[in-house]
């Protein structure tokens, strides 16, 4: 129900606003960075006593050589998983001067953007009124409206 | 010396005395069919059924984030099951991504000196190893521009008088991973759900995608669909891992668009060239950045006038995306339209996947240069981690 209040109604058509469209395209781009789209096939095996436990096999053996000086720092403390977002945050806090990761990003092209049909991939000369997706012809618009148009939860 | 090009998708590893590196997946993989084990690195070769592989990668957008996984892969690579590296008598040359983060550099330094006890450690950008070798192979040259288009992203990295010009590095947020995911999405929406088949679709990409040299004409051709005049479309027969162990393209004369009862096929039409096209026009899918050719010009234009011509005549390619047919030709074609005609354009592309490793191998051979770029165990113990990180950042 909340969904429908967010969408603006124009005539009898639901129309996504600019912010919703942007959020959708950002989500689509984020999806291109995903490692897997399915669940870990071994995920529910952890409960199975016969299968080796994930954690058991994950522990790496540290070669502690006799007489080797131990570092003052605690390895495990430092090496927990840190996301790129956290690294960037840390970098900003440290005040890492330019050039850095942020400044190295190439800017937008000076050439005009091209548009492609969201369904078949040919040139997309028309724009879907509801969501802003591009399409090439009536039959692709029909497919689009039946499949992705407003069915993606934004 | 051991040389390790630590890529986010595959690492390229080997002793500097080896003829070529081993290319090893830099991840842990789980298979549906093998519930009793996980495959570390190239142990995946033992796996008979590559369908629905589940990847545990250690990099996020090109940067090392999952140390637990990375350490297991490294432990395996250095172990007697793989290279049997004796760090008591060996140093290592390894790569790190552009503008790597301080905490990552600290961890790597610590791991190699403390955990592995390496005798020396050099950490360099892959492009720096490539530029090093290029400038040795071409002793009259002082400049080059490396285009590194890999799994996570693409970078232009210029070198003037053998020095990396950090201010002019340009990054485009698209690489082989996004291309494979794009292709997966396009095929799944239009034909057959292959969202879980990263391994298979990556092979499809490598087998049939190419860079277009006449995009508009090929769009028109692709629009012909199932017509004889359409020379783009191909049938790709998917592997089933029982009778078909690996997917393959049907030869053009056997392209029917129909699967026999025993097979499953995918029809590749505009996807063949629209996929790599994203490297040249990321805005096609809404990444509001210039493509790699334009980024090359953008980087070079910001250099002093007198070195600009040297950059275009000494472009070196690195990274798996340079393997797409016509990649180099398209770059030249684009630049020819973008830059003044009196500039010569010359692009070198020799085995772009191994290029950084080859650069490391060349560096290992020259003791004098290596001494300039390596931190010895003794120096590490005297000076500490912060010193090492500062040192690597200036290379
Ligand atoms: Zn269409
Ligand atoms: Zn729509």
């Amino acid at each position: 129900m909340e969904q429908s209040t967010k969408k603006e109604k124009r005539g009898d058509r639901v129309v996504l606003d600019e912010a919703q469209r942007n959020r959708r395209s950002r989500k689509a781009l984020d999806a291109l960075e995903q490692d897997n789209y399915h669940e870990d096939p071994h995920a529910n095996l952890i409960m199975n006593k016969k299968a080796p436990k994930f954690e058991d096999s994950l522990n790496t053996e540290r070669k502690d050589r006799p007489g080797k000086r131990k570092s003052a720092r605690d390895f495990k403390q430092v090496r927990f998983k840190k996301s790129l977002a956290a690294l960037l945050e840390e970098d900003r806090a440290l005040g890492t001067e330019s050039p850095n990761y942020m400044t190295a990003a190439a800017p937008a092209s000076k050439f005009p953007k091209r548009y492609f049909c969201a369904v078949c991939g040919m040139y997309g000369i028309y724009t879907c009124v509801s969501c802003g997706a591009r399409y090439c012809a009536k039959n692709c618009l029909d497919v689009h409206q039946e499949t992705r148009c407003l069915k993606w939860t934004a | 010396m051991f040389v390790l090009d630590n890529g986010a998708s595959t690492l390229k590893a080997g002793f500097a005395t080896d003829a070529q590196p081993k290319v090893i997946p830099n991840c842990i993989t789980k298979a549906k069919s093998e519930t009793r084990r996980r495959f570390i690195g190239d142990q995946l070769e033992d796996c008979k059924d590559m369908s629905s592989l589940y990847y545990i990668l250690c990099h996020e957008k090109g940067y090392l984030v999952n140390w637990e996984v990375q350490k297991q892969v490294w432990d395996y690579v250095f172990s007697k099951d793989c290279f049997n590296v004796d760090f008591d008598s060996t140093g290592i040359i390894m790569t790190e991504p552009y503008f790597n983060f301080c905490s990552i550099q600290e961890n790597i330094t610590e791991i190699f000196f403390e955990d592995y006890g390496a005798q020396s450690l050099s950490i360099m950008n892959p492009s720096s190893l490539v530029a090093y070798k290029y400038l040795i192979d071409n002793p009259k040259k002082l400049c080059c521009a490396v285009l590194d288009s890999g799994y996570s992203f693409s970078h232009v990295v210029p070198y003037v008088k053998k020095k990396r010009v950090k201010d002019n590095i340009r990054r485009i947020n698209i690489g082989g991973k996004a291309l494979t995911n794009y292709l997966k999405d396009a095929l799944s929406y239009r034909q057959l759900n292959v969202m879980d088949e990263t391994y298979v679709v990556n092979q499809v990409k490598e087998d049939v995608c190419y860079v277009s040299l006449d995009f508009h004409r090929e769009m028109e051709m692709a629009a012909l669909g199932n017509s004889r005049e359409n020379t783009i479309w191909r049938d790709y027969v998917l592997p089933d891992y029982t009778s078909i162990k690996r997917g393959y393209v049907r030869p053009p004369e056997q392209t029917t668009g129909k699967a026999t009862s025993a097979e499953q096929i995918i029809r590749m039409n505009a996807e063949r060239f629209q996929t790599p096209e994203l490297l040249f026009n990321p805005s096609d899918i809404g990444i509001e950045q210039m493509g790699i050719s334009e980024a090359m010009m953008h980087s070079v234009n910001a250099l002093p006038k007198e070195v600009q011509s040297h950059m275009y005549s000494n472009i070196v390619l690195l990274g798996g995306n340079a393997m797409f047919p016509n990649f180099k030709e398209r770059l030249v074609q684009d630049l020819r339209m973008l830059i003044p005609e009196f500039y010569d354009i010359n692009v070198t592309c020799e085995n772009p996947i191994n290029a950084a490793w080859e650069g490391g191998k060349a560096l290992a051979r020259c003791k004098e240069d290596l001494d300039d770029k390596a931190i010895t165990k003794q120096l590490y113990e005297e000076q500490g981690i912060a010193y090492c990180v500062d040192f690597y950042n200036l290379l």
Side-chain angles (χ1 to χ4, degrees), chain A residues 35-36 40 58 104 121 147, chain B residues 30 55 72 171 177 189 274:
Chain A
D35 296 343
N36 301 286
D40 180 345
L58 252 173
T147 53
Chain B
K30 296 188 194 182
Y55 291 95
Q72 287 181 80
R171 181 188 71 251
K177 179 187 198 175
Y189 186 45
Q274 281 180 330

Side-chain angles (χ1 to χ4, degrees), chain A residues 128 130-131 144 149:
Chain A
C128 170
S130 300
C131 73
H144 165 70
C149 183

Side-chain angles (χ1 to χ4, degrees), chain B residues 144-159:
Chain B
C144 66
V146 180
L147 172 60
D148 180 353
S149 185
Y151 178 72
S152 310
F153 37 38
S154 305
H155 284 86
V156 177
V157 189
Y159 289 79

